[in-house]
């Protein structure tokens, strides 16, 4: 039962975070941030989000900006999910570099 609730909340948070990042990156031309995976702790207090950043060369720079504005993102998320969640979880962001890894494997197989 607990795992079902965790999954529902993770899907909700993933959807809302992706909308928030889409709105924020609209002003930055040529940059796209997508939320690939979200996990929520069993007590629903910590949300771990994996972000895929395009172009990957600017990944560290964009991730630094995201970490600086973590409180603002959490506030925005709280205003969006205030009717579904009582407490907005603490946000933790990580870079999802699985697409870069796949590209690297493809390049190795071609050569």
């Amino acid at each position: 039962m607990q795992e079902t609730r965790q999954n529902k909340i993770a899907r909700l948070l993933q959807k809302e975070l992706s909308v928030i990042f889409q709105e924020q990156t609209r002003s930055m031309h040529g940059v796209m941030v997508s939320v690939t995976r979200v996990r929520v702790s069993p007590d629903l207090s910590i949300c771990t989000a994996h972000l895929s950043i395009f172009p990957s060369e600017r990944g560290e720079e964009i991730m630094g900006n995201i970490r600086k504005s973590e409180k603002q993102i959490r506030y925005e998320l709280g205003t969006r999910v205030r009717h579904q969640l009582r407490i907005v979880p603490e946000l933790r962001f990580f870079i999802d570099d699985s697409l870069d890894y796949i590209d690297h494997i493809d390049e190795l197989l071609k050569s």
Side-chain angles (χ1 to χ4, degrees):
M1 184 73 180
Q2 180 69 19
E3 192 169 316
T4 305
R5 180 163 170 75
Q6 278 178 278
N7 291 336
K8 284 183 181 180
I9 291 174
R11 283 194 307 265
L12 171 71
L13 294 176
Q14 182 176 7
K15 182 182 141 228
E16 296 300 334
L17 282 172
S18 62
V19 171
I20 291 169
F21 286 128
Q22 186 179 25
E23 289 173 356
Q24 286 184 351
T25 58
R26 225 176 241 147
S27 62
M28 302 168 60
H29 298 289
V31 175
M32 187 171 74
V33 177
S34 58
V35 183
T36 56
R37 181 176 47 211
V38 172
R39 300 233 168 125
V40 181
S41 65
D43 62 349
L44 308 177
S45 65
I46 299 172
C47 169
T48 304
H50 294 268
L51 307 176
S52 178
I53 300 172
F54 178 82
S56 59
E57 296 84 34
R58 295 183 60 193
E60 290 299 323
E61 170 196 348
I62 294 170
M63 187 57 88
N65 292 339
I66 289 172
R67 288 199 175 114
K68 284 179 189 173
S69 62
E70 216 169 79
K71 290 180 182 179
Q72 179 186 1
I73 294 169
R74 185 176 180 200
Y75 175 78
E76 174 89 19
L77 183 66
T79 59
R80 291 174 175 270
V81 299
R82 68 175 178 246
H83 298 296
Q84 289 97 352
L85 296 177
R86 190 178 309 169
I87 297 172
V88 180
E90 175 188 333
L91 300 174
R92 294 184 182 165
F93 297 108
F94 297 98
I95 293 179
D96 183 14
D97 57 355
S98 60
L99 293 176
D100 294 334
Y101 181 73
I102 290 170
D103 286 341
H104 179 69
I105 295 295
D106 284 342
E107 301 241 344
L108 290 176
L109 289 174
K110 286 179 184 175
S111 61

